[in-house]
Amino acid sequence: MISFEMPESIHKTRVLMETVAENMMRPMARYFDENEHEIPWDYINFMHQAMAQMGGSAITTQEDEKKERKGPRLGFQNLTFLVEMLSWGDTGIYLCTPGGGLGAAAVQAAGTAEHKKRFLARHQGEKPTFDAMALTESHAGSGMPAEVRTTAVRDGDEWILNGEKIFVTAGNKALVDSDGFVVIWATIDPSAGRAGVRPVVVEAGTPGCTVTKMEHKLGIRASDTVSILLQDCRVPFENLMGDPEVKEKKTEGAKGVHLTFDATRPIVAASAMGVARAALETIKQMLEEQGIEIRYGLPRSRLTNIEREIIDMETKLQATWLLTIKSMWMADERKENTIEASMCKFLAGDVVVDITQRAVELMGPLGYTRDYLLEKWFRDAKINDLYEGTGQINRLIVARRILDYSRHELS
Amino acid sequence: MYSFEPTEEQRMLMEAIERYAKNDLREAAHDADETGELPGDLIEKGWEMGVLQASIPEEYGGFGERSAVTGVLAAETMGWGDLAGALAAMLPATYAMPILLGGTEKQKTELIPPVIEAEWKPFTTAFIEPVYDFYPGEMGTTAEKKGDGYELNGEKAYVIFADKAPSILVYAALNGQTQAFIVPAGAEGFVIGEREKLMGIGGLPCYRVRLNNLQLPLEARLGGEEGFDFVPVLASAQVAIAALAVGVSRAALDYALPYAKEREVWGVPIAQRQSIAFMLVEMAAEIEANRLLVWEAAWMLDQGKDVSKEAYLAFTGTTDMAMMVTDRAVQVLGGHGFIREHPVELWMRNGRGFSTFTGMAMV
Ligand SMILES: Cc1cc2nc3c(=O)[nH]c(=O)nc-3n(C[C@H](O)[C@H](O)[C@H](O)COP(=O)(O)OP(=O)(O)OC[C@H]3O[C@@H](n4cnc5c(N)ncnc54)[C@H](O)[C@@H]3O)c2cc1C
């Protein structure tokens, strides 16, 4: 039965996260924007404790498939609301949340039960830990995973990794600031294209794995984005997830990538929605303080321009948000959600950029000044249309699905 | 819990309506638009799908319970078939539903069964007015209490089947509040004018109506002396139009997409060009997202929540979307899209109308 009733448990998550977002993240948001590469430890430690109290890692959706469940699965939906609210607080700081980032998502999607236990257990430890996922290389981002050049060569019961990854979110926190890990996408057979690509876990402290650069960015400055150099970096044989051999070169070897993204793209959409909501709520409040009330229900011919813009933004935000929820509901229901995941991702990328830039425009000098967060949200917004597949790449994914085309027919 | 899955019952109903939309509505659409007339048996068949009947409780002649969610699912599917035919088949709901929602017990027991228990009859509504900034919250048509009755004055537009309607629900401002009045056919002062000549929905006969000192008894007011709450009625009207807009948009996408795979330029299907493929993708995504605005508003209506804002946003979102999607469908077909042999230009004409159509359908 079609229903939009928010489950009680999600409601609780939201209330809790709203407190954190409002009282903790918002007040420190400007500071960490202006002091790039400083780490918001207060937030990190708080979240680590809070999540331990909430029973495990709230930021991932670890669920034992065999364990009996009371009621429907809500893990992905819960995460969606959590991320939306934390990003409403601050996206950059949200990206510093310990205990389960993109690396964990990759382990969830591609790893065995043993992998999950070995690599994810650390997040429940005493100290906060981080993980990251490194797919992008300097010569190719959108071209991934087909164009992975980082190699994994087997040597007895070890893999030797060589190559360089760029733009790794939280890479420094995973490898340098904590006992975390990075999932490196490497090829075990460069002649096999995407069929040869595998996720390999590299733990902090592994010799031959070094962080070589920290980027300076337009926005989300609280989040570190790093380059990782792999020089004869040896990891145990079991750290490679998936088949250690390439059986058929034509098959989709890098299935884990796709599965990971079906789960993480809606998360990016949710994050975008949080920023968009922050900007929209803020300008509505600023207008209200000027005595301007939005008169919903009027025909456009009777609306002021400001009213029309706000109503338009609100409509787009809500439609995209509902599609985001739907795609994660599908994930919880174990329905294939590739189309919806990519759709909500590119819509959210468009909507958040549109809303935040309009918010700056509408507020004029108050929008452009660093006295308020509006200009910062505008800078933070853009990343949502870039990482986890650009808007174009997500359109391509949907296009191939709805047109029933292979990547050779449409690229 | 969130859920995006219709019930088994709803699914079965939609399957039946889908067949009707495909085999009947769609088949009749082109000729109806050209000739200005919908086949009578087409409308009757749509009526027999029983969507309205299933929304009316037994005591008023129906066999179910009002569900706006079922209503929007049905409206989308019918709209996919053909908008003019859908509006005709759904027409009695614009009369019966406000009575169900806002009528006195007496009005409900007297007025609803004759609509529900018979074959389709054009019980209709006079809602829209011929001004550029028409706003349902401030009707230009007035109702004034005079002696032991009301007097109505004003002009209405787009009154569907006004010439054949047994009874008409007329909206007017009473002391500045939008209220509704039941007007029997042939009432003195209810002057049916010319048939409207519209850009789209050509098969649907719509009329101008003048209300010249129309005298009505006190009982004619919907909800009796207290009147009725216009807010949920307006919301129902907005989500109905929104759902139809989703249907028309989906029709346009469903036509343009296979066409783009067939049509070759320089030996390559145009769908293999990103500029075409991405248009189709954006059309599909907007449909998916905006449909959920409609579902959410309908669900809130069924929950008895105040839905005025959500219904308005659903209406705004879907009407913009319908214009974007139907325009692009024509673009995908190129010059062929401009030719009336293909249905996309009709959908584009209909698509432009949604922002004006509030009041012409209800769920
Ligand atoms: C702050 C930040 C954090 C990041 N975090 C991570 C991370 O944690 N892990 C990770 O692996 N990567 C990460 N990335 C990398 C990110 O995913 C890539 O930047 C992104 O996928 C785009 O790749 P690119 O930068 O190489 O752009 P390119 O692939 O060079 O694309 C350039 C432009 O061409 C367009 N384009 C490319 N191919 C096509 C096509 N076939 N059709 C149409 N248009 C096309 C793109 O949409 C884009 O507009 C991060 C990036 C940033 C900026």
Side-chain angles (χ1 to χ4, degrees):
Chain A
M1 186 156 93
I2 291 168
S3 168
F4 292 81
E5 188 84 57
M6 186 184 290
E8 189 51 35
S9 59
I10 291 184
H11 179 68
K12 280 193 189 136
T13 303
R14 273 196 96 227
V15 171
L16 198 69
M17 291 304 138
E18 189 172 19
T19 318
V20 179
E22 195 172 336
N23 302 324
M24 194 163 211
M25 300 172 94
R26 282 284 176 90
M28 58 170 72
R30 178 58 71 185
Y31 177 87
F32 286 99
D33 182 59
E34 303 206 329
N35 294 275
E36 199 164 14
H37 301 160
E38 275 193 38
I39 301 176
W41 282 113
D42 286 351
Y43 168 79
I44 292 166
N45 290 323
F46 175 84
M47 285 303 279
H48 184 62
Q49 299 259 303
M51 287 186 306
Q53 272 163 21
M54 276 157 64
S57 180
I59 200 114
T60 57
T61 57
Q62 291 176 45
E63 269 187 276
D64 193 337
E65 292 288 329
K66 291 196 193 89
K67 218 166 63 189
E68 248 186 72
R69 280 172 300 108
K70 293 188 256 109
R73 290 193 186 87
L74 291 172
F76 284 113
Q77 290 166 78
N78 198 52
L79 185 56
T80 304
F81 280 86
L82 178 141
V83 169
E84 193 269 351
M85 188 60 86
L86 292 179
S87 299
W88 177 87
D90 187 78
T91 311
I93 298 171
Y94 143 66
L95 288 167
C96 299
T97 310
L102 291 174
V107 173
Q108 288 286 351
T112 59
E114 180 61 24
H115 286 130
K116 291 178 198 175
K117 208 165 86 196
R118 251 185 75 212
F119 300 123
L120 302 182
R122 75 194 63 210
H123 292 325
Q124 258 92 267
E126 205 177 307
K127 283 199 192 138
T129 47
F130 301 86
D131 56 70
M133 203 264 313
L135 179 61
T136 307
E137 300 180 10
S138 63
H139 71 283
S142 303
M144 295 302 190
E147 295 177 40
V148 167
R149 285 190 192 155
T150 297
T151 54
V153 176
R154 189 166 175 184
D155 181 27
D157 52 8
E158 285 182 332
W159 293 98
I160 308 174
L161 300 172
N162 276 292
E164 187 172 26
K165 295 290 181 181
I166 66 164
F167 296 171
V168 184
T169 296
N172 204 62
K173 278 195 268 309
L175 295 176
V176 179
D177 302 315
S178 81
D179 264 332
F181 66 87
V182 176
V183 173
I184 303 278
W185 294 86
T187 174
I188 54 173
D189 180 356
S191 72
R194 61 175 51 232
V197 177
R198 298 288 181 277
V200 185
V201 178
V202 179
E203 295 179 276
T206 308
C209 173
T210 41
V211 172
T212 47
K213 184 181 180 197
M214 284 175 97
E215 304 290 351
H216 296 89
K217 305 192 296 292
L218 170 68
I220 56 162
R221 292 182 183 164
S223 164
D224 67 269
T225 308
V226 306
S227 299
I228 294 174
L229 184 64
L230 300 145
Q231 280 173 308
D232 293 329
C233 173
R234 287 173 175 270
V235 298
F237 180 73
E238 306 78 48
N239 281 25
L240 183 138
M241 298 184 282
D243 196 335
E245 280 171 53
V246 181
K247 298 243 166 59
E248 272 179 77
K249 300 209 177 184
K250 290 273 171 284
T251 60
E252 310 264 317
K255 207 163 136 225
V257 183
H258 160 86
L259 285 175
T260 308
F261 284 147
D262 287 351
T264 56
R265 284 186 173 133
I267 301 281
V268 175
S271 181
M273 296 288 91
V275 184
R277 183 166 66 85
L280 187 55
E281 283 178 5
T282 300
I283 61 170
K284 277 176 77 172
Q285 198 185 331
M286 289 167 83
L287 290 170
E288 206 182 296
E289 281 159 17
Q290 301 301 312
I292 294 170
E293 187 204 340
I294 308 301
R295 297 167 301 161
Y296 297 94
L298 291 187
R300 285 207 168 129
S301 49
R302 292 192 184 196
L303 293 172
T304 63
N305 178 59
I306 277 202
E307 287 173 323
R308 181 172 175 167
E309 296 232 7
I310 299 274
I311 289 165
D312 186 35
M313 292 185 225
E314 218 164 321
T315 306
K316 290 202 164 87
L317 177 66
Q318 184 64 5
T320 307
W321 175 228
L322 291 177
L323 188 57
T324 308
I325 297 172
K326 182 182 177 187
S327 73
M328 286 307 233
W329 168 81
M330 293 174 82
D332 277 328
E333 295 284 312
R334 304 299 187 259
K335 293 178 197 290
E336 150 130 28
N337 71 340
T338 306
I339 291 179
E340 288 76 7
S342 283
M343 275 184 176
C344 70
K345 164 70 169 72
F346 81 69
L347 285 176
D350 284 353
V351 167
V352 71
V353 170
D354 184 49
I355 288 180
T356 52
Q357 68 84 4
R358 282 210 245 178
V360 171
E361 183 199 8
L362 286 175
M363 291 301 111
L366 305 184
Y368 204 73
T369 173
R370 273 153 58 200
D371 289 347
Y372 292 101
L373 290 171
L374 289 168
E375 65 80 30
K376 178 179 178 301
W377 289 328
F378 167 66
R379 289 184 287 110
D380 289 345
K382 187 62 198 170
I383 192 58
N384 295 293
D385 201 25
L386 300 171
Y387 60 13
E388 305 280 305
T390 61
Q392 288 68 41
I393 292 302
N394 278 293
R395 279 171 174 80
L396 259 186
I397 290 165
V398 177
R400 287 183 193 138
R401 291 286 172 132
I402 66 174
L403 288 161
D404 195 18
Y405 278 156
S406 69
R407 62 172 56 84
H408 308 292
E409 288 164 304
L410 187 64
S411 62
Chain B
M1 300 300 142
Y2 288 98
S3 172
F4 300 88
E5 227 156 22
T7 61
E8 189 52 35
E9 215 175 310
Q10 286 167 336
R11 264 191 359 137
M12 276 160 54
L13 178 61
M14 289 325 128
E15 273 170 27
I17 297 176
E18 251 162 55
R19 279 194 298 276
Y20 166 68
K22 184 161 173 253
N23 302 332
D24 301 278
L25 284 174
R26 184 64 66 81
E27 288 299 308
H30 176 266
D31 289 357
D33 191 65
E34 297 282 330
T35 62
E37 204 176 336
L38 289 156
D41 55 344
L42 174 83
I43 304 177
E44 178 61 24
K45 197 168 172 187
W47 173 245
E48 281 166 15
M49 291 285 131
V51 178
L52 178 62
Q53 295 89 324
S55 267
I56 303 286
E58 261 173 57
E59 60 258 48
Y60 310 124
F63 55 84
E65 179 184 17
R66 196 244 182 160
S67 161
V69 169
T70 306
V72 297
L73 293 173
E76 176 184 331
T77 311
M78 289 215 196
W80 180 90
D82 176 47
L83 182 60
L87 288 171
M90 293 166 64
L91 180 63
T94 64
Y95 178 87
M97 196 51 80
I99 296 175
L100 179 72
L101 294 175
T104 60
E105 197 51 42
K106 186 155 174 286
Q107 286 170 333
K108 288 195 251 188
T109 41
E110 279 177 11
L111 300 173
I112 299 179
V115 182
I116 295 301
E117 289 170 345
E119 73 277 21
W120 177 88
K121 292 202 202 86
F123 285 92
T124 194
T125 294
F127 189 96
I128 298 170
E129 298 177 348
V131 289
Y132 81 94
D133 63 344
F134 172 65
Y135 168 45
E138 277 172 29
M139 294 276 175
T141 299
T142 56
E144 252 183 287
K145 195 146 180 202
K146 284 245 169 104
D148 46 5
Y150 296 98
E151 181 182 299
L152 268 59
N153 279 291
E155 190 173 13
K156 292 289 180 181
Y158 296 65
V159 184
I160 306 169
F161 281 110
D163 60 329
K164 298 207 170 67
S167 181
I168 305 104
L169 194 62
V170 178
Y171 290 81
L174 176 68
N175 304 321
Q177 300 283 329
T178 300
Q179 289 292 299
F181 299 85
I182 294 131
V183 178
E188 201 184 326
F190 185 85
V191 186
I192 300 168
E194 298 257 313
R195 181 169 169 173
E196 306 265 12
K197 300 182 198 71
L198 306 178
M199 175 165 73
I201 49 171
L204 195 70
C206 299
Y207 290 84
R208 267 311 158 83
V209 170
R210 276 213 67 86
L211 308 163
N212 291 334
N213 304 324
L214 173 67
Q215 306 297 321
L216 295 169
L218 285 177
E219 310 86 77
R221 181 176 176 195
L222 186 64
E225 225 177 311
E226 256 114 80
F228 80 109
D229 183 4
F230 182 51
V231 173
V233 170
L234 175 61
S236 291
Q238 287 167 330
V239 299
I241 291 301
L244 288 161
V246 176
V248 170
S249 304
R250 191 156 59 80
L253 173 65
D254 288 352
Y255 194 86
L257 191 145
Y259 183 92
K261 289 189 70 171
E262 287 271 306
R263 178 71 177 172
E264 293 192 357
V265 174
W266 296 323
V268 178
I270 54 169
Q272 288 188 18
R273 308 287 183 195
Q274 280 190 2
S275 56
I276 296 291
F278 284 7
M279 276 205 276
L280 294 167
V281 165
E282 286 161 10
M283 290 154 78
E286 291 293 337
I287 291 170
E288 284 294 317
N290 282 286
R291 175 190 289 127
L292 298 179
L293 287 179
V294 183
W295 286 11
E296 187 190 36
W299 175 82
M300 285 178 72
L301 266 175
D302 288 341
Q303 301 292 307
K305 296 182 202 270
D306 175 13
V307 65
S308 45
K309 181 174 155 188
E310 285 76 8
Y312 176 65
L313 294 190
F315 171 75
T316 305
T318 52
T319 52
D320 280 355
M321 167 194 73
M323 191 62 250
M324 179 276 249
V325 170
T326 55
D327 169 61
R328 285 180 172 200
V330 172
Q331 190 67 25
V332 168
L333 268 75
H336 295 270
F338 201 76
I339 309 296
R340 296 215 299 277
E341 265 166 46
H342 287 286
V344 286
E345 63 78 31
L346 170 60
W347 291 325
M348 182 172 164
R349 286 185 281 126
N350 289 346
R352 183 55 281 169
F354 285 112
S355 53
T356 294
F357 292 157
T358 305
M360 295 172 80
M362 273 199 68
V363 291

